[in-house]
Amino acid sequence: KNEVEQSPQNLTAQEGEFITINCSYSVGISALHWLQQHPGGGIVSLFMLSSGKKKHGRLIATINIQEKHSSLHITASHPRDSAVYICAVALSETSGSRLTFGEGTQLTVNP
Amino acid sequence: GEEVAQTPKHLVRGEGQKAKLYCAPIKGHSYVFWYQQVLKNEFKFLISFQNENVFDETGMPKERFSAKCLPNSPCSLEIQATKLEDSAVYFCASSQAGGSYNEQFFGPGTRLTVL
């Protein structure tokens, strides 16, 4: 069983829909990151959070430490949001801040 | 610089040849991380540095992989005697400081193909 699991693996939506991607982890963490990998391969850090909720534009990330669960929401989705969204955690038992990654969610937003 | 730079973008090697990848972290960042992405979404941590010192090397295959971060030079990841299974995209990331609450900024990656 992976330490970080994401769902769904693939998600197809119509433009304008509200998107939710989920991440569950089975170990103690210090922080959780949401990353976006573009079709060309580049990786962008979207959020880093250890509690509560963060919002940036149309993106919202939440985390529930007790339930070991985080969600990434995209409001008013757009075709340019099509990418792989990756949840990654910094485990509290490891030294430093190396990340352990989920398998990613492939999001396709159709016009 | 303002972005993590990685060179080369693509690297093709015959099995058994050496491969060397480079990473220039963002200026002022003292931590560098190397990750290997095999297949589409499978990331593996390799090694991290605090300035020129190895910070965490628990992910490194010790036999053929080595890495350095020397002062005033790009960091490097070297694979001696490459194998087919080394084919992957290698990402470098840097962060301003260590600890779990620091954002990591990723480079564009180097795609290594071993034939």
Side-chain angles (χ1 to χ4, degrees), chain A residues 30 37 45 48 97-98 103, chain B residues 37 41 56 99 101 103-104:
Chain A
S30 303
Q37 187 167 28
S45 176
M48 183 184 64
S97 49
R98 65 179 171 97
E103 293 188 348
Chain B
Q37 183 181 23
N41 295 326
D56 179 354
Y101 303 103
E103 187 176 0
Q104 293 185 25

Side-chain angles (χ1 to χ4, degrees), chain B residues 7-114:
Chain B
T7 55
K9 195 169 180 177
H10 300 280
L11 189 58
V12 179
R13 287 290 179 264
E15 204 172 3
Q17 290 186 317
K18 184 173 75 174
K20 196 163 185 179
L21 292 60
Y22 296 92
C23 166
I26 292 173
K27 193 174 179 181
H29 283 196
S30 54
Y31 280 77
V32 170
F33 305 81
W34 284 99
Y35 298 98
Q36 177 195 54
Q37 183 181 23
V38 179
L39 302 176
K40 201 166 180 189
N41 295 326
E42 193 179 308
F43 283 86
K44 180 189 170 189
F45 166 78
L46 295 175
I47 190 169
S48 62
F49 287 83
Q50 179 185 12
N51 297 312
E52 62 267 26
N53 303 308
V54 174
F55 191 79
D56 179 354
E57 58 181 347
T58 51
M60 280 288 266
K62 294 277 171 58
E63 308 82 47
R64 300 178 295 107
F65 284 62
S66 63
K68 292 179 189 176
C69 278
L70 300 175
N72 303 312
S73 296
C75 296
S76 63
L77 177 69
E78 189 167 340
I79 309 171
Q80 301 285 345
T82 52
K83 296 184 177 181
L84 296 176
E85 64 256 32
D86 298 332
S87 294
V89 180
Y90 291 83
F91 286 97
C92 170
S94 71
S95 66
Q96 196 166 26
S100 303
Y101 303 103
N102 288 278
E103 187 176 0
Q104 293 185 25
F105 295 83
F106 286 78
T110 292
R111 180 175 295 278
L112 172 65
T113 303
V114 181

Side-chain angles (χ1 to χ4, degrees), chain A residues 45-81:
Chain A
S45 176
L46 298 175
F47 294 103
M48 183 184 64
L49 60 167
S50 55
S51 64
K53 176 179 172 178
K54 285 190 176 180
K55 184 175 190 289
H56 181 70
R58 295 181 295 107
L59 302 177
I60 303 166
T62 64
I63 188 168
N64 184 318
I65 297 293
Q66 287 73 30
E67 293 186 5
K68 292 187 164 64
H69 181 268
S70 175
S71 292
L72 175 69
H73 305 285
I74 306 174
T75 61
S77 59
H78 191 276
R80 66 174 173 265
D81 297 326

Side-chain angles (χ1 to χ4, degrees), chain A residues 12-110:
Chain A
T12 301
Q14 287 301 120
E15 185 172 355
E17 285 184 1
F18 181 82
I19 304 289
T20 296
I21 299 170
N22 296 298
C23 175
S24 297
Y25 50 92
S26 56
V27 292
I29 69 166
S30 303
L32 184 143
H33 299 244
W34 281 103
L35 308 170
Q36 180 192 54
Q37 187 167 28
H38 295 291
I43 297 173
V44 174
S45 176
L46 298 175
F47 294 103
M48 183 184 64
L49 60 167
S50 55
S51 64
K53 176 179 172 178
K54 285 190 176 180
K55 184 175 190 289
H56 181 70
R58 295 181 295 107
L59 302 177
I60 303 166
T62 64
I63 188 168
N64 184 318
I65 297 293
Q66 287 73 30
E67 293 186 5
K68 292 187 164 64
H69 181 268
S70 175
S71 292
L72 175 69
H73 305 285
I74 306 174
T75 61
S77 59
H78 191 276
R80 66 174 173 265
D81 297 326
S82 298
V84 177
Y85 292 83
I86 303 165
C87 170
V89 301
L91 304 180
S92 22
E93 66 190 31
T94 60
S95 60
S97 49
R98 65 179 171 97
L99 298 178
T100 299
F101 296 77
E103 293 188 348
T105 295
Q106 173 71 60
L107 171 65
T108 303
V109 181
N110 294 318

